[in-house]
Amino acid sequence: MPHTKRYVVALDQGTTSSRAIIFDEVAQIQGLAQRDFAQIYPHAGWVEHDPMEIWATQRATLTEVLAKTGIDSEQIAAIGITNQRETTVVWNKTTGKPVYNAIVWQCRRTAEICEQLKARGLADYVQENTGLVLDAYFSGTKIKWILDNVERAREQANNGELLFGTIDTWLVWKLTEGRVHVTDYTNASRTMLFNINSLQWDQRLLDELDIPAAMLPEVKSSSEIYGQARLGAKGEIPIAGIAGDQQAALFGQLCFNKGMAKNTYGTGCFLLMNTGQQKVSSRHGLLTTLAVGARGEVNYALEGSVFMAGAIIQWLRDELGLIREADDTGYFAEKVADNNGVYLVPAFVGLGAPYWDPYARGTLVGLTRGANRNHIIRAALEAIAYQSRDVLDAMQEDAGLVLAALKVDGGAVANDFLMQFQADMINTRVVRPRQTETTAMGAAFLAGLAVGLWQNTEQLAATLAVDKTFKPKMNKDTRARLYHGWQKAVTRSRDWEEH
Ligand SMILES: Nc1ncnc2c1ncn2[C@@H]1O[C@H](COP(=O)(O)OP(=O)(O)O)[C@@H](O)[C@H]1O
Ligand SMILES: O=P(O)(O)OC[C@H](O)CO
C-alpha cells in the first residue's frame, strides 16, 4: 500500500526565534512559520528566555505551518527537533511549570562558579571527560545556579520533584504532555555533565555540582521514536529526531563521515568536523563534542567558533555607516584589487580558538593614505575567512585529517566574494548547497530516517543539490603573504585590554 505520510516537520528552536519547516520526501521546503520571542537581560551579562514563551511560539509555528500549507497532520510522518544548545530549563514535574526562566547559553552569570571549580582542579577532568572547556557557556553550572538561588528549588530537586532539560527536552516534554523526558547525545554533550567516553551522565561532576541524577533526562540516539506529540483534535505525530543545531547542520550538510566539515556563517561562525569513532582531544582549545554518524550512531566531532563574523558586517552598517545593507559588501570589496595592506581584526569581545585571548580588542592596521572605505569593507569580509582558516588549520592539525571540501551555510554565504576568498585562504573547495536551511533539514533527515520516510543516507544525498563550488584560485605565494599579514595583525590586537 502506498504510504500517504509524505512530509516531515522540523522544529528549529533558535536563540532568537522558533521556526517550523515542512519538508517533503525529496527534502523540498513546503512551508515555514517563524515567531520571535523576548530576550530578557536582567543584569549586565545575563541572558534569559521564558520557557513558556518558547513553548508557545514553537507550538504556534507548528499550527501555523500546517494551516498555511493545508497539509493535514495525518500526512506528517514525523517531527524532528533541533535547538539552541546549552540553554537550561528546570521545571516542576507535576505542574509542568518552570521554576525559573531558561538560562541562555550566552549568559555569563555562572563565571564565578566556574572559577571555583577550576580552583578545585576540575578543568582537566572536565576536558578529558566531557570534551569541553570549563566555562559558563555550558548547562551544568546554570542548573547549579538555579538550585542554589531559586527558593526551595534544591529541596524540591532532592525530593525528585524537578526535572532539567535543554530546549529539545523541554519541547518533547511539552509536546508529549509530560510523558517523555529525554534528550539526545548531541545535546547531552553540551551540558558539561555528560561523559563522552562512557556515554553516561558523569557522577563525579554531578556530585561536584550537587545536581541530583534524578533530574536528568534519559539520553537516546538522535534518530529514533521518542514519543508521540499530542496535537489535540489533530491527533498524534511521532517525534523521531533530535539534535543540537550545530550537529543538525553537520548532518543536514551530509557530513556523516570522518574528515567532513561544515562552517555556518551567521553572527559568528560555527565550524564542526566529524572525526568518526575517533575522539580527538584538541591541543588548540577546540571542543570535542558528539555528532551523528551515517547510521544514526554516535560520532565524535571537533568544534570551534568565531565570535564575530557577520556581526562585523552589522558593525560596518550600524556603527560606521559604511554600507546600507550586508549584501552591498561584496560589491564594494570587489571595487578594489586587494586589501592594500589593510587588516581588520574583529576581536571586539576577545579572540576565541585557537588564540583564546579575552583581552584582545578590535584592531584596524596597515592604514596608509591610499586606504579607503572599500579596503576596510574588504578587510572585514577577509577577516571572516581568516578567522575560519585559523580554526580549520587547528582542527586539521588536531585530527590529523585533511579536508576534501568545506560545506558552508548561514546568512553570509550569499556573499560570493567571501566564499571565493575562503576557498583561496584554505586552499580547499568551498561547497554551497542550494538549500541553505541545513539545520532544519538535518533534524528532518534524522526524523524521516527513523520512521522509514528515507531508508538510508544515500537517499538523502540524492535529494541535495549544490548551488556553487568555489575552487581555490590564488597562488601559493599570495596566500602565504596575505595570511602572514593577518597573523601579524592578530598579534597587534592581543593583550590590549588592561587586566
Ligand atoms: N551578503 C552578505 N555578506 C556578508 N555578510 C552577510 C551577508 N548577508 C548577511 N550577512 C551577515 O550574516 C548574518 C546573518 O546570518 P544568519 O545565518 O541569519 O545569522 P544568525 O543565525 O546568527 O542570526 C548577519 O550578521 C549579516 O551581517
Ligand atoms: O540559536 P543559534 O543558531 O544562535 O545557535 C546557538 C548554538 O547552538 C549555541 O551553542
Side-chain angles (χ1 to χ4, degrees), residues 320-339:
L320 299 191
L322 287 187
I323 47 166
R324 288 240 303 271
E325 287 176 38
D327 280 346
D328 300 339
T329 52
Y331 168 79
F332 291 119
E334 295 199 74
K335 277 178 78 163
V336 285
D338 56 27
N339 68 359

Side-chain angles (χ1 to χ4, degrees), residues 308 315 343-351 359-365 489 492-494 496-497:
M308 291 276 292
W315 180 72
Y343 288 90
L344 197 170
V345 184
F348 291 50
V349 290
L351 287 171
Y359 306 107
R361 284 296 173 270
T363 310
L364 189 61
V365 291
R492 299 294 191 268
S493 76
R494 297 195 60 175
W496 179 260
E497 181 82 358

Side-chain angles (χ1 to χ4, degrees), residues 373-388:
R373 155 182 114 132
N374 296 336
H375 295 119
I376 295 174
I377 294 170
R378 186 170 175 127
L381 288 173
E382 291 184 354
I384 300 175
Y386 288 130
Q387 295 182 98
S388 297

